[in-house]
Structure formats: C-alpha cells, structure tokens
Amino acid sequence: MPATVTMRFAVNGQRCEVAIDPRTSLLDLAREQLGLTGAKKGCDHGQCGACTMHVDGRRIASCMTPAIQVDGQQVATIEGLSPPDGPLHPMQQAFIDHDALQCGYCTPGQIMAAVACVNEGHATTAEQIREYMSGNICRCGAYVGIVAAIRDAAVQMGKA
C-alpha cells in the first residue's frame, strides 16, 4: 500500500484536510474523496477542458494537476461558483440564456474556463474569446452560443 500524505487547502472557500496517495490528481480527489463531481474526466490528458478548475484564480486542467500541488492554495470548482440557495453566477445564467450547451458534459469546464477568460481580460472580442477557449472542446458544437454567452456575461460581470 502506498504511503499517504496529508494536505490542507481550501475548496470553494471551505478549509479542507485530506490524506491522499501522492499520485492522486486534483480531479480524482475532487470527484472521489470530496464528492465534487461537476468537473468531468473527458480525456484524462489535459486536452479537452472538461476538468477545468481554478487554483488561486488561475484555470487549470485538474486531470493533469497532482492534488498535492494545491497544498495551501485556494481551489474553485463549478459547485462553488454560486451559492446553493442563491442566484446563478452571471456566466451560468448566460450559458442558459444563449443555449451554450447541448449534452452538458463539457459545460462545467466550459463555464470555469469562461469565467477565467473574462477575469483575465480576454473577452473583449469574439476572436479573443475563441482563442482563449480553444482548450475547451465541445463535441456537440455549441461554440456560437458559448462565445455569445461569454460576451454577455462579461458585461454582467463588469469586465467588458
């Protein structure tokens, strides 16, 4: 049995302490130990974006991020984007308003990447959005709605 390591970090604003196998990815930790199943395992190679989370405000491919790497940091998942009993985040609402999803498998990763796109100032033109979001694949092809949602949410988030 491999040795475990204890790590401490915050996930969606809540302090967390877990013992993990040091080979565990952040995605597997979130899904299997913390019950945060919004981020999906699409390719498990960091190429599709379905597992996108934020670590200290930066988007990351959680399937490629060793969980131990986030020790002492702030992790944000789709579950923490809006309060359970409160209004949706402007990006979530924009995805609904612009039909920016079809099957929904990629949607949590798309939304997390889209929030980072806006927060990092890459949502001023459709071309800039498409370039920034190119690491998030939608097999259903909802890209037109995704770009429209990001442009709309950028205004709502006060960053357009």
Side-chain angles (χ1 to χ4, degrees), residues 33-49:
Q33 286 186 250
L34 303 179
L36 299 171
T37 58
K40 304 295 188 254
K41 187 177 282 196
C43 66
D44 210 21
H45 295 289
Q47 297 174 350
C48 74

Side-chain angles (χ1 to χ4, degrees), residues 25-27 44-47 51 61-66 69:
S25 72
L26 179 58
L27 177 62
D44 210 21
H45 295 289
Q47 297 174 350
C51 67
S62 65
C63 72
M64 297 297 295
T65 304
Q69 188 174 319

Side-chain angles (χ1 to χ4, degrees), residues 5-158:
V5 294
T6 300
M7 58 179 282
R8 293 167 192 83
F9 65 106
V11 63
N12 299 326
Q14 299 292 321
R15 296 178 68 108
C16 188
E17 181 175 320
V18 293
I20 61 165
D21 178 319
R23 300 169 294 181
T24 303
S25 72
L26 179 58
L27 177 62
D28 288 340
L29 171 63
R31 292 182 60 81
E32 296 169 12
Q33 286 186 250
L34 303 179
L36 299 171
T37 58
K40 304 295 188 254
K41 187 177 282 196
C43 66
D44 210 21
H45 295 289
Q47 297 174 350
C48 74
C51 67
T52 303
M53 294 180 191
H54 298 172
V55 174
D56 286 346
R58 296 180 338 271
R59 79 173 175 168
I60 55 100
S62 65
C63 72
M64 297 297 295
T65 304
I68 195 67
Q69 188 174 319
V70 304
D71 190 38
Q73 297 184 13
Q74 300 281 330
V75 175
T77 69
I78 190 72
E79 290 88 351
L81 205 52
S82 63
D85 57 349
L88 293 176
H89 184 279
M91 191 64 72
Q92 292 170 309
Q93 188 62 55
F95 265 63
I96 293 167
D97 294 345
H98 292 278
D99 293 323
L101 60 125
Q102 288 182 32
C103 80
Y105 194 83
C106 72
T107 305
Q110 293 278 359
I111 290 173
M112 294 303 287
V115 168
C117 176
V118 171
N119 287 341
E120 294 174 17
H122 300 290
T124 56
T125 67
E127 295 77 24
Q128 201 177 33
I129 292 168
R130 282 193 291 272
E131 175 66 26
Y132 187 88
M133 295 294 293
S134 65
N136 287 75
I137 297 170
C138 174
R139 292 182 65 182
C140 299
Y143 297 113
V144 171
I146 291 168
V147 171
I150 295 170
R151 293 190 85 180
D152 185 35
V155 173
Q156 300 301 318
M157 293 167 67

